[in-house]
Every structure is written in structure tokens, then in C-alpha cells.
């Protein structure tokens, strides 16, 4: 194929989009509609994921220490736990701080309840609060810390707690939500591919005569296929471009409008700059792929003349 | 040169379109194919430009065995055969010029040559002034001229015309015939299926009559031979 022919294919491909104005419009519209719905679900599932992650990351391990633990023993344990690769942060909460937090949490009603405890009679133990990098490793990390209890000769750790049972259940729920979102998005992607390629098939069916004429004047299959290929890509680009524009403008506005209301519920929508590359990439890629795939697959059967 | 040897064509539905046809058409011949509707004329033409393949027998066109052609070689054989139809078959979204140029673009001819040659054939068919018109803006006769221009633009050795005057009024038809004669005079073989008695009886050429899938008559300077 000569360079001149390649140029010709591009020119014809672009021209064809204009020549078949209404058909192109139909194809672009069906791409916009399908990809827009897909995009909405994509954004929804991204936000649910982010929310699930937020909830998960709030899970911590509490390591209660024995009452007679010395500061040296505490610091040694602190370093030991801190050195575990899964652990991101270890925070020491002394029994005085613990009591203070306890009082704050209980509020005015609790003040009276706890008033009997002085500094000397404080029943709370010193505590290490452990954060992990990946929330799902919490049960394993807790077990590892529990194992330290056996290796140290002096009894330092009294109890390791992380909301056993509840945390596992929560992970199950967040995982279900994640997988559900993925399935819905994948299902929509497949449906929209069929819907769009069907529209393109119809537009190409209307041009099967054109293809048969091209064959009769001695055009090779390659020669016929290329402009259709380019045309499909152009239509895919147009469709996904419009979709991205609509979707992002709408989402950006939604994020700004709901900032205060959702903020009160401690929910924060993922801001556009954090996701526009990935979401835009997915939609653009899908659009072009669908456009090209739809047109190439559809003309294949008309080429056998 | 076209040669058929005992060619049979049976369609998938069991219709026997051709039953053992043997014929030889030499370079620069002008041949009318006549016969009743459904006799097998169109099948005969389609076999030549390889829209159909024979069920049995051999067809050679310019030395190519078109019945056993590999898919990817078909385009190259067709480039040496110009095809003209009753319904013109122009690309509706392209101008007259673009329609003719398309046949040259398809064989990747140089741009300059395309320009020169398309203008040349537009001149030959007498439609230089309509170069930028779309098919819908042209009369039937003009569209057929453009389709003939497209058929000859790559200098094929054969023109296969399936009822080229079928949709045209008598006067326009004579114009098309003059054009085909002119092309034949310049050295191109013409094979033309027709129902037009006046034309066959006036412009005397070789006549091959096909009835029920067999050749029943082959005359050097024949006549139409049917009353209808």
C-alpha cells in the first residue's frame, strides 16, 4: 500500500462520515447513549468503591498491654509491630489518654459514671493502636501480634482485638459491592457493544450495494475495508468525545452541588481530577474499539461477492 | 479472449441456469446475447466477471481460469473486465467524476494519470460538463454514459453489458449503442445481453441465442429472431 493510498483511505473515511450524515448521526448517538449510561455506572461504582475503602480503612487493631508493663517493654513491642511490613502506623494510647477519650466518647451522661476513677484507680490498660496498609490483612496481622504474646518471656500483651467477626463480615459486604459494580459495568459494556455494532451494521447494510459496486470495478478487500475502518474509528471518537464531555461536565457539577450535604454525612465524592484520565481512557478506548470492530465485522460478510 | 467449455450452472435451489454451454468469443468481437427472460443470459454474463462460479466446466477469460480463481485474485481479473448494468449502479454519494475516478483509485493509479484519464473518458462519453453532478442529478442516459465511462476507464479488454439500454427510451438507447460501437471500434470486446429487437436488427453483429440454459443459435451477422 502506497503512502498516497493511505492518505486516500483517510480522506475517504472522513468524507464518508459526512456523506452518510444521518447514518453517522445514528451511530454516534447510539454510542453516546450507551457509553453515557456505562459512564454513569462506572462513576457510581468508583464512588462506592472509594466509600467502601474509606470504611475499611477505619478498621484498626487494638493491642491491650498488661498493667505492669514498663515503658521500655512497651517501646520494644511498638518497634516490633512497627517493623511488620503490613503495618502502616502504630500509635501509643496511654491509660490516661484512654480514660480521656473514654470520657469524651460517653459525653455528659458518662462523666458521672466514670467520676469514681482517679489516676491511681484507672482500670484501663495502655494500648497500642495499629493501622495496616491493606485493610483485608487485618485478621492476619492480628494473629501475628497474638503470636508475639507466646514468644516474649515477660507477659506484655494481654489482649489483641480488632472486631473479630464483624470485620470479616464487613469485608464480605464491601467485596460484594465491588464485584457487583464490576459485573454491572462489564454487563453494560458488553450490551452497549452489541447495541452499537448493531446500529453500525444497519448503516453498513444500507451500503452493501456500494460495496458490491466497489468489488465489481476490481477493488481489493483491503482497499474497501480501510475507509470503513477509519470511518468507524472517527464515529467512535466522536461518540466517546461527546460522552466524555457530557459525563464530566455533569459529574463535576454534581460533586460541587453535593459537597456540603454529603460532607455532613462524612461522604466525599471522588473529585473529577482524580479519575478523569482513567474513566476518560476507558470510554474513549471502548468507543473507538466499538466503532472499528462494528464496521470491520459488519462489512466482512458483504465482501464475499 | 473468452472461452467456455461445457459449462453448467445449477443454483442452490436446484434451478439449472446453464446446461453445458461451449462458446468462444474472440478479441474485438461484438456479441449480442439474446433469449427469453430466465433463459440464462444473466448467469452467462455473471460467470464471465466471476460473480458466479460454474458448477461444472471451464471458463477462461484472457487466459485466467475464472472458475477456479482464488478469492484474493478476483479483483485483478475484474480490472480487465468492464461491467455495465441496466440499473447503472453508480455510487450515489459520489459525483460523476468521483465515480469514474474510483475505478482507477481502486487499482492505485497515480493521481495525475487519474485526472487525465477520467477527463478523457468524460469527453468520450460527452459529459465533461456534468463532471461534478451527483447521479441523482443526471438523466438515465447520462447515468449510463457515466457507468460506461467507469467501465472503460481502466482500458479493459472486455466490456460485459447486461441490458444497458433496458431502462432507457429509444433515442437515448441509440446514443448508448453508438458509444459502445465506438468503444468496440477502438479494440474492446463487447458482450451485451439485450431484449431490444430494433437495435439487434439494425446494428448487425454476432448473435448468440440462449434458451433454457442452452445455446440454440450462434450467427455471425445475426438478427434478433424473436417476435417480442
Amino acid at each position: 500500500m502506497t503512502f498516497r493510498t493511505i492518505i486516500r483511505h483517510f480522506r475517504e473515511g472522513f468524507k464518508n462520515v459526512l456523506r452518510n450524515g444521518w447514518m453517522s448521526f445514528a451511530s454516534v448517538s447510539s454510542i453516546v447513549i450507551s457509553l453515557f449510561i456505562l459512564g454513569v455506572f462506572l462513576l457510581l461504582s468508583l464512588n462506592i468503591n472509594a466509600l467502601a475503602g474509606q470504611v475499611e480503612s477505619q478498621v484498626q487493631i487494638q493491642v491491650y498491654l498488661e498493667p505492669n508493663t514498663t515503658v521500655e517493654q512497651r517501646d520494644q513491642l511498638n518497634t516490633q509491630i512497627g517493623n511488620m511490613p503490613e503495618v502502616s502506623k502504630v500509635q501509643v494510647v496511654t491509660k490516661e489518654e484512654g480514660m480521656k477519650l473514654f470520657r469524651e466518647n460517653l459525653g455528659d451522661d458518662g462523666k458521672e459514671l466514670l467520676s469514681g476513677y482517679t489516676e491511681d484507680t484507672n482500670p484501663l490498660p495502655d494500648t497500642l493502636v495499629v493501622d495496616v496498609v491493606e485493610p483485608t490483612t487485618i485478621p492476619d496481622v492480628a494473629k501475628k501480634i497474638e503470636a508475639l504474646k507466646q514468644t516474649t518471656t515477660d507477659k506484655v500483651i494481654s489482649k489483641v482485638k480488632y472486631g473479630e467477626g464483624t470485620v470479616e463480615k464487613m469485608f464480605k459486604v464491601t467485596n460484594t459491592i465491588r464485584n457487583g459494580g464490576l459485573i454491572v459495568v462489564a454487563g453494560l459494556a458488553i450490551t452497549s457493544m452489541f447495541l452499537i455494532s448493531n446500529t453500525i451494521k444497519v448503516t453498513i447494510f444500507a451500503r452493501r450495494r456500494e460495496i458490491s459496486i466497489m468489488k465489481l470495478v476490481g477493488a481489493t478487500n483491503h482497499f474497501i475495508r480501510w475507509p470503513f475502518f477509519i470511518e468507524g474509528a472517527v464515529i467512535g471518537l466522536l461518540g466517546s468525545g461527546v460522552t466524555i464531555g457530557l459525563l464530566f461536565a455533569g459529574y463535576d457539577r454534581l460533586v460541587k452541588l453535593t459537597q456540603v450535604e454529603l460532607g455532613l454525612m462524612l461522604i466525599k465524592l471522588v473529585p473529577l481530577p482524580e479519575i478523569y484520565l482513567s474513566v476518560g481512557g476507558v470510554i474513549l478506548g471502548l468507543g473507538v474499539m466499538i466503532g472499528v470492530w462494528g464496521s470491520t465485522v459488519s462489512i466482512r460478510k458483504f465482501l464475499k461477492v | 479472449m473468452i472461452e467456455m467449455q461445457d459449462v453448467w450452472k445449477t443454483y442452490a435451489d436446484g434451478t439449472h441456469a446453464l446446461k453445458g454451454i461451449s462458446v468462444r468469443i474472440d478479441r474485438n468481437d461484438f456479441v449480442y446475447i439474446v433469449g427469453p427472460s430466465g433463459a440464462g443470459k444473466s448467469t452467462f454474463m455473471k460467470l464471465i466477471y466471476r460473480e458466479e462460479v460454474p458448477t461444472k466446466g471451464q471458463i477462461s477469460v484472457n487466459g485466467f481460469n475464472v472458475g477456479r480463481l482464488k478469492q484474493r485474485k478476483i479483483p485483478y481479473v475484474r480490472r480487465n473486465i468492464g461491467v455495465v448494468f441496466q440499473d447503472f449502479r453508480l455510487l450515489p454519494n459520489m459525483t460523476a467524476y468521483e465515480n469514474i475516478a474510483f475505478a482507477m483509485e481502486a487499482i492505485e493509479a497515480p493521481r495525475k494519470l487519474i485526472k487525465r484519464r477520467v477527463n478523457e473518458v468524460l469527453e468520450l462519453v460527452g459529459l465533461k460538463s456534468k463532471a461534478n453532478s451527483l447521479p441523482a442529478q443526471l438523466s438515465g442516459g447520462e447515468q449510463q454514459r457515466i457507468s460506461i465511462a467507469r467501465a472503460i476507464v481502466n482500458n479493459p479488454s472486455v466490456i460485459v453489458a447486461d441490458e444497458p439500454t433496458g431502462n432507457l427510451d429509444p433515442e437515448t438507447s441509440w446514443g448508448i449503442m453508438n458509444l459502445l460501437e465506438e468503444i468496440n471500434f477502438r479494440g474492446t470486446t463487447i458482450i451485451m445481453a439485450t431484449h431490444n429487437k430494433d437495435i439487434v436488427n439494425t446494428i448487425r453483429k454476432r448473435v448468440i441465442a440462449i434458451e433454457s440454459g442452452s445455446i440454440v443459435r450462434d450467427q455471425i451477422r445475426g438478427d434478433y429472431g424473436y417476435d417480442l
Side-chain angles (χ1 to χ4, degrees):
Chain A
M1 195 159 56
T2 61
F3 182 68
R4 198 184 56 246
T5 310
I6 296 170
I7 298 283
R8 184 249 170 215
H9 290 329
F10 270 89
R11 201 182 55 229
E12 281 300 307
F14 277 97
K15 263 193 192 170
N16 279 342
V17 175
L18 298 176
R19 277 177 185 148
N20 305 286
W22 281 108
M23 289 300 194
S24 307
F25 180 73
S27 301
V28 170
S29 309
S30 85
I31 288 179
V32 170
I33 292 165
S34 321
L35 288 187
F36 188 79
I37 296 171
L38 180 73
V40 167
F41 274 89
L42 198 62
L43 288 173
L44 198 66
S45 92
L46 274 177
N47 275 296
I48 289 174
N49 267 354
L51 199 64
Q54 212 177 314
V55 171
E56 281 176 359
S57 68
Q58 281 163 10
V59 180
Q60 294 167 322
I61 303 173
Q62 321 269 343
V63 182
Y64 298 116
L65 306 182
E66 289 291 341
N68 52 1
T69 307
T70 61
V71 176
E72 288 76 34
Q73 283 173 321
R74 195 184 68 197
D75 288 347
Q76 198 197 343
L77 186 66
N78 189 341
T79 341
Q80 244 178 325
I81 295 174
N83 282 342
M84 293 181 180
E86 298 95 336
V87 173
S88 64
K89 199 174 92 186
V90 184
Q91 199 191 346
V92 179
V93 180
T94 59
K95 57 185 180 181
E96 291 78 23
E97 288 167 336
M99 180 56 78
K100 211 175 123 203
L101 276 173
F102 202 10
R103 280 190 217 275
E104 274 169 21
N105 281 349
L106 287 179
D108 289 336
D109 298 337
K111 252 182 201 155
E112 213 173 311
L113 214 63
L114 296 173
S115 61
Y117 295 112
T118 62
E119 214 162 288
D120 296 328
T121 56
N122 183 348
L124 296 175
D126 284 349
T127 310
L128 296 182
V129 179
V130 181
D131 282 294
V132 294
V133 181
E134 176 54 51
T136 47
T137 60
I138 281 210
D140 294 330
V141 177
K143 260 183 217 127
K144 266 170 103 176
I145 297 172
E146 190 90 36
L148 288 177
K149 200 165 154 186
Q150 266 79 51
T151 54
T152 43
T153 39
D154 308 310
K155 210 163 174 300
V156 178
I157 301 170
S158 98
K159 230 180 198 176
V160 180
K161 276 185 86 179
Y162 65 94
E164 216 174 332
T166 324
V167 168
E168 279 91 344
K169 252 180 229 157
M170 189 192 79
F171 285 150
K172 232 176 228 168
V173 171
T174 51
N175 267 339
T176 311
I177 289 172
R178 281 206 179 96
N179 292 339
L182 199 69
I183 289 168
V184 169
V185 167
L188 273 171
I190 293 168
T191 328
S192 52
M193 277 191 84
F194 277 104
L195 181 75
I196 294 165
S197 74
N198 234 4
T199 315
I200 294 177
K201 230 178 253 174
V202 171
T203 71
I204 287 185
F205 186 74
R207 286 157 70 188
R208 67 195 186 286
R209 205 178 138 86
E210 195 174 315
I211 294 169
S212 78
I213 294 170
M214 292 177 183
K215 294 226 66 171
L216 282 178
V217 300
T220 58
N221 287 350
H222 271 295
F223 190 84
I224 297 170
R225 197 180 278 136
W226 267 98
F228 276 101
F229 183 84
I230 308 247
E231 191 181 337
V234 170
I235 284 175
L237 267 177
L238 279 175
S240 43
V242 171
T243 309
I244 289 171
L246 288 174
L247 197 65
F248 285 0
Y251 184 69
D252 196 41
R253 207 165 154 65
L254 185 76
V255 171
K256 283 184 180 135
L257 278 176
T258 58
Q259 206 165 24
V260 178
E261 280 85 348
L262 289 180
L264 286 177
M265 294 188 278
L266 297 176
I267 296 172
K268 185 172 160 262
L269 291 179
V270 186
L272 190 57
E274 274 176 35
I275 47 168
Y276 79 99
L277 267 182
S278 52
V279 174
V282 165
I283 291 179
L284 204 67
L286 264 179
V288 173
M289 200 173 79
I290 289 166
V292 167
W293 181 71
S295 60
T296 348
V297 168
S298 311
I299 66 165
R300 189 174 298 157
K301 80 173 165 207
F302 301 125
L303 283 176
K304 289 187 186 129
V305 182
Chain B
M1 193 193 66
I2 295 161
E3 197 163 9
M4 294 195 186
Q5 278 170 2
D6 193 31
V7 168
W8 289 71
K9 177 67 192 178
T10 308
Y11 286 106
D13 65 354
T15 324
H16 296 290
L18 294 178
K19 302 172 191 164
I21 284 204
S22 295
V23 73
R24 184 192 158 108
I25 296 167
D26 286 317
R27 199 168 178 85
N28 212 10
D29 263 1
F30 192 129
V31 185
Y32 293 119
I33 310 292
V34 302
S37 300
K41 298 192 298 293
S42 286
T43 303
F44 180 86
M45 315 285 272
K46 281 179 183 167
L47 287 171
I48 294 172
Y49 59 85
R50 177 48 180 81
E51 189 166 327
E52 296 289 349
V53 283
T55 316
K56 213 181 105 189
Q58 292 221 334
I59 305 170
S60 107
V61 176
N62 301 318
F64 285 100
N65 184 347
V66 291
R68 296 235 173 71
L69 215 52
K70 283 194 181 122
Q71 269 288 333
R72 61 188 169 80
K73 289 217 169 143
I74 297 170
Y76 303 97
V77 172
R78 284 192 183 146
R79 289 173 188 186
N80 213 1
I81 305 170
V83 193
V84 177
F85 297 96
Q86 181 174 2
D87 55 358
F88 324 131
R89 300 207 191 165
L90 297 171
L91 295 170
N93 295 322
M94 291 189 188
T95 64
Y97 181 95
E98 288 170 332
N99 262 286
I100 301 168
F102 180 80
M104 288 190 85
E105 284 170 7
I107 65 166
E108 303 191 29
R111 213 180 230 283
K112 271 187 193 157
L113 180 67
I114 293 178
K115 208 171 170 190
R116 196 176 69 220
R117 178 71 183 142
V118 172
N119 281 316
E120 216 171 272
V121 293
L122 271 170
E123 187 116 33
L124 179 70
V125 300
L127 283 176
K128 216 166 171 194
S129 59
K130 300 286 173 89
N132 294 319
S133 306
L134 288 170
Q137 297 163 328
L138 299 171
S139 72
E142 287 168 338
Q143 289 187 54
Q144 193 60 297
R145 281 168 187 273
I146 296 299
S147 94
I148 290 171
R150 179 182 65 191
I152 60 169
V153 75
N154 285 328
N155 288 309
S157 60
V158 188
I159 295 275
V160 176
D162 198 352
E163 300 201 38
T165 61
N167 279 350
L168 306 175
D169 59 66
E171 202 175 326
T172 316
S173 297
W174 288 115
I176 293 295
M177 286 315 295
N178 287 339
L179 186 58
L180 288 175
E181 267 201 291
E182 163 83 21
I183 292 162
N184 177 237
F185 180 73
R186 293 180 178 211
T188 308
T189 310
I190 306 240
I191 302 169
M192 170 178 160
T194 186
H195 282 293
N196 194 318
K197 188 181 174 181
D198 286 344
I199 287 176
V200 178
N201 289 342
T202 310
I203 306 173
R204 289 291 177 118
K205 303 286 181 189
R206 180 178 173 187
V207 175
I208 296 175
I210 298 178
E211 284 177 33
S212 326
S214 302
I215 294 181
V216 294
R217 180 161 58 99
D218 188 347
Q219 292 173 294
I220 300 286
R221 280 175 64 79
D223 56 14
Y224 187 67
Y226 299 97
D227 286 332
L228 245 167

